[in-house]
């Protein structure tokens, strides 16, 4: 196991991404960080404008060691990231509520990733067009080809930001109750409430044309399935199709 860990690609451990507490929960290898990022749809991007800190929630997607997000060209965040701005992007998943026998030992099971880099606006038309396809195909593989083409005005109104992950770390708690030894005899219920985000039954648009079935890229989004599992599967399909397209190209 130690030999396998040593061969994994890792992010350098620095003052920015080094865990300050519970080092046993930390991981710096690409595989662990990417797993947290790819299992999520929503991230939070933190940055500073004129000394004032901001933190903006947005949809993110990953291509290799690059993270992307987009928004309105009028967005304050995106307008201030155009010139290249240091940012911190985080993704987290709540997996359980941990109830102990003392308030101090109550906790949560979770997966989180923190990434640092310099965010830049994607100006090149070809790269931007590719990124705008990626935000669809990353979550719903192959769907972009089924959609109408993006209008020039829609593309103009959308800003795409890219950030190469320079430093990152993941932190995971997946454990039960951790009470102090002398507290196990205290007469109160203790345990874990597992938490999952589950996909519900699909609701078709009332104006759907007759005979329209879901595309193959939506097969993973089944009612009752965990969302993070579906997102991880979609990322694998997206990467596979992207590699195939590059080989053919």
């Amino acid at each position: 196991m130690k030999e396998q860990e040593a061969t994994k690609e890792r992010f350098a451990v620095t003052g920015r991404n080094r865990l300050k507490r519970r080092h046993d929960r930390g991981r710096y290898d690409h595989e662990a960080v990417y797993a947290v990022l790819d299992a999520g749809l929503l991230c939070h991007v933190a940055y500073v404008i004129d000394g004032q800190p901001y933190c903006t929630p947005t949809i993110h997607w990953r291509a290799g060691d690059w993270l992307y997000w987009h928004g309105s060209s009028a967005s304050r965040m995106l307008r201030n990231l155009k010139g290249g701005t240091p940012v911190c992007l985080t993704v987290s998943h709540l997996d359980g509520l941990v109830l102990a026998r003392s308030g101090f030992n109550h906790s949560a099971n979770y997966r989180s990733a923190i990434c640092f880099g310099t965010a830049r606006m994607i100006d090149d038309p070809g790269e931007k067009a590719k990124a705008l396809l990626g935000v669809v195909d990353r979550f719903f593989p192959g769907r972009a080809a089924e959609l109408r083409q993006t209008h020039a005005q829609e593309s103009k109104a959308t800003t795409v930001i890219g950030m190469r992950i320079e430093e990152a770390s993941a932190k995971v708690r997946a454990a039960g109750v951790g009470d102090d030894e002398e507290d196990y005899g205290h007469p109160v219920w203790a345990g874990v409430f597992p938490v999952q985000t589950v996909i519900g039954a699909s609701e078709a648009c009332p104006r759907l044309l007759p005979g329209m079935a879901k595309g193959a890229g939506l097969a993973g989004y089944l009612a009752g399935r965990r969302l993070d599992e579906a997102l991880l599967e979609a990322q694998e399909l997206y990467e596979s199709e992207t590699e195939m397209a590059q080989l053919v190209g």
Side-chain angles (χ1 to χ4, degrees), residues 3 45 104 112 149 157 165 188 190 209 220 245 249:
E3 291 181 359
V45 182
F104 182 79
S112 64
Q149 291 188 346
I165 305 174
V188 67
L209 294 177

Side-chain angles (χ1 to χ4, degrees), residues 38-56:
D38 297 344
L41 180 75
L42 187 68
C43 72
H44 288 81
V45 182
Y47 50 97
V48 176
I49 301 175
D50 297 329
Q52 171 63 51
Y54 295 90
C55 185
T56 303

Side-chain angles (χ1 to χ4, degrees), residues 63-64 68 130 238-249:
Y68 296 92
K130 183 179 179 180
Y238 170 63
E239 291 177 347
S240 176
E241 292 180 1
T242 300
E243 291 175 4
M244 184 63 68
Q246 290 174 344
L247 290 174
V248 173

Side-chain angles (χ1 to χ4, degrees), residues 27-239:
R27 295 277 296 276
Y28 300 94
D29 58 284
H30 291 192
E31 181 181 350
V33 172
Y34 293 167
V36 175
L37 296 174
D38 297 344
L41 180 75
L42 187 68
C43 72
H44 288 81
V45 182
Y47 50 97
V48 176
I49 301 175
D50 297 329
Q52 171 63 51
Y54 295 90
C55 185
T56 303
T58 185
I59 291 174
H60 72 282
W61 67 103
R62 183 182 66 84
D65 60 354
W66 279 79
L67 289 170
Y68 296 92
W69 60 96
H70 71 82
S72 166
S73 295
S75 163
R76 173 175 55 195
M77 174 186 73
L78 297 179
R79 282 189 282 111
N80 281 274
L81 296 182
K82 289 182 179 180
T85 302
V87 300
C88 174
L89 183 148
T90 65
V91 174
S92 60
H93 306 272
L94 176 63
D95 294 324
L97 309 176
V98 182
L99 284 69
R101 294 168 179 82
S102 70
F104 182 79
N105 285 322
H106 275 59
S107 187
N109 284 338
Y110 61 88
R111 291 160 287 154
S112 64
I114 182 168
C115 303
F116 297 93
T118 301
R120 293 182 174 85
M121 185 174 68
I122 304 301
D123 284 320
D124 179 78
E127 187 179 0
K128 181 178 181 180
K130 183 179 179 180
L132 289 175
L133 292 177
V135 69
V136 176
D137 280 343
R138 177 269 173 267
F139 299 108
F140 314 112
R143 184 170 175 80
E146 302 174 340
L147 307 178
R148 70 154 173 82
Q149 291 188 346
T150 300
H151 297 320
Q153 187 58 37
E154 291 173 332
S155 180
K156 183 179 179 180
T158 304
T159 297
V160 178
I161 296 294
M163 181 193 87
R164 185 175 184 179
I165 305 174
E166 299 169 1
E167 300 163 20
S169 60
K171 191 174 183 181
V172 177
R173 186 192 194 277
V177 176
D179 269 317
D180 297 335
E181 188 61 37
E182 60 270 22
D183 290 339
Y184 282 100
H186 187 75
V188 67
W189 188 90
V192 178
F193 291 114
V195 176
Q196 298 178 359
T197 298
V198 178
I199 300 169
S202 61
E203 302 174 0
C205 173
R207 298 183 62 176
L208 196 68
L209 294 177
M212 290 293 98
K214 299 186 184 74
L218 305 181
Y221 291 90
L222 300 172
R225 190 183 188 191
R226 287 176 47 158
L227 176 61
D228 56 353
E229 293 178 349
L231 292 175
L232 285 169
E233 181 180 275
Q235 177 73 20
E236 292 178 0
L237 290 172
Y238 170 63
E239 291 177 347

